[in-house]
Amino acid sequence: MRDLTKFYGLCETSNELNEGLDKGLTNEFICHFAKIFKTKTMRIWQRMPELAKVNDDLSVELLEKGVKNLRNYLNMLKNAGVERFLLFNWGYLYPNYYKPIDHMTIPSYIDEPDVYKDFLIITENLYIEIQKEFPEIEYYEISNEPDGPGGGFFHSNLYNPDDKSTYYSQDDIVKMALDMNYYASRGIYKINNNYNMGTGNTMIFSPPARAWARCCSWRRRCTACTRIYGRTSSG
């Protein structure tokens, strides 16, 4: 990387965007340290159910409170000297007729094809609305750690953390992660064709790891990225 002026960034989880997390991690606290560290890029956690809702026709509406909270955070980050924003979704939106076991559920394209299709349409509509409301966000990460140990961030509606047979396979994860990228990208592109897209931050592609060090090993991370890149056509 030749241009190191864009290299230094932070990722922190503001409790004011994602209620119920560490209450000490306020916008003010994060921005205070972003300014001290001269941070230029921020990876922003956003729990999507707190930013938007789905209508029966699969259209998406941003919530007034969620928009206000994210707008306030972005303005504070700008005042602290941050110039680039990467938004990644922690949690998903679903058709109103669907009842996921939690907000990290990804409907199965095999067992629930109709739900899966509607889920992807909602993903596209969500990112249309986000890009219209927040044009300064030009970097996106769709999902988070889809290959995480035990499927905690990316699992089916039959998921049981104690039953490996309910985990999605490596190939399933790659296929669905790329589908989500495609639909989110299509939505953003309708509003702004000058953006940057990435899949969820990868960890491993293997059964649950026994130790964090094994989880984050470089070899396994490269394997995950290679699987995704190998199935992506750019341009």
Side-chain angles (χ1 to χ4, degrees):
M1 180 178 292
R2 296 179 180 178
D3 185 4
L4 295 179
T5 61
K6 297 182 179 180
F7 184 73
Y8 193 73
L10 289 177
C11 172
E12 194 49 90
T13 312
S14 171
N15 184 66
E16 295 180 51
L17 291 186
N18 304 281
E19 295 180 5
L21 297 176
D22 188 339
K23 298 189 183 304
L25 291 176
T26 62
N27 291 350
E28 183 177 3
F29 179 90
I30 294 170
C31 292
H32 172 72
F33 282 97
K35 186 173 184 178
I36 290 176
F37 297 149
K38 298 182 180 180
T39 303
K40 296 302 179 184
T41 304
M42 180 65 74
R43 180 177 184 254
I44 299 174
W45 291 55
Q46 176 63 63
R47 185 177 288 168
M48 290 306 175
E50 294 181 13
L51 180 63
K53 69 174 183 177
V54 179
N55 297 318
D56 289 340
D57 63 357
L58 306 183
S59 64
V60 172
E61 290 183 43
L62 298 185
L63 300 172
E64 182 178 354
K65 180 180 178 181
V67 169
K68 180 179 179 180
N69 288 343
L70 182 53
R71 172 61 60 202
N72 180 55
Y73 188 37
L74 290 172
N75 288 339
M76 292 179 69
L77 288 169
K78 291 175 186 177
N79 290 335
V82 178
E83 299 173 356
R84 288 166 295 278
F85 307 100
L86 182 152
L87 188 73
F88 87 94
N89 58 304
W90 185 36
Y92 307 99
L93 301 180
Y94 308 93
N96 290 332
Y97 63 81
Y98 188 66
K99 303 302 179 185
I101 56 173
D102 59 27
H103 66 271
M104 304 308 296
T105 299
I106 309 296
S108 170
Y109 71 94
I110 297 174
D111 299 325
E112 305 166 294
D114 292 338
V115 181
Y116 182 68
K117 181 179 179 180
D118 286 349
F119 171 77
L120 293 175
I121 292 172
I122 289 167
T123 298
E124 177 179 354
N125 291 338
L126 170 64
Y127 282 92
I128 289 174
E129 298 304 320
I130 290 175
Q131 184 60 203
K132 284 194 297 187
E133 184 66 35
F134 302 102
E136 64 267 56
I137 299 176
E138 295 183 345
Y139 298 84
Y140 290 90
E141 185 179 320
I142 310 305
S143 80
N144 178 50
E145 299 172 0
D147 55 326
F153 292 118
F154 200 102
H155 52 249
S156 77
N157 215 22
L158 300 176
Y159 175 66
N160 178 349
D162 298 321
D163 182 358
K164 295 180 182 179
S165 69
T166 66
Y167 295 4
Y168 278 135
S169 70
Q170 298 173 11
D171 286 342
D172 286 340
I173 291 172
V174 170
K175 173 180 171 49
M176 291 186 286
L178 289 177
D179 282 347
M180 292 164 63
N181 274 19
Y182 173 79
Y183 276 84
S185 179
R186 191 167 72 172
I188 298 168
Y189 191 84
K190 289 179 178 179
I191 308 301
N192 172 25
N193 59 15
N194 183 31
Y195 68 94
N196 298 271
M197 172 72 70
T199 190
N201 176 43
T202 54
M203 293 178 69
I204 59 171
F205 272 103
S206 73
R210 295 181 179 178
W212 182 254
R214 179 186 172 194
C215 246
C216 295
S217 72
W218 180 249
R219 180 178 63 82
R220 293 182 182 279
R221 184 180 291 255
C222 286
T223 299
C225 292
T226 299
R227 284 177 176 269
I228 292 174
Y229 183 78
R231 300 191 185 189
T232 303
S233 297
S234 299

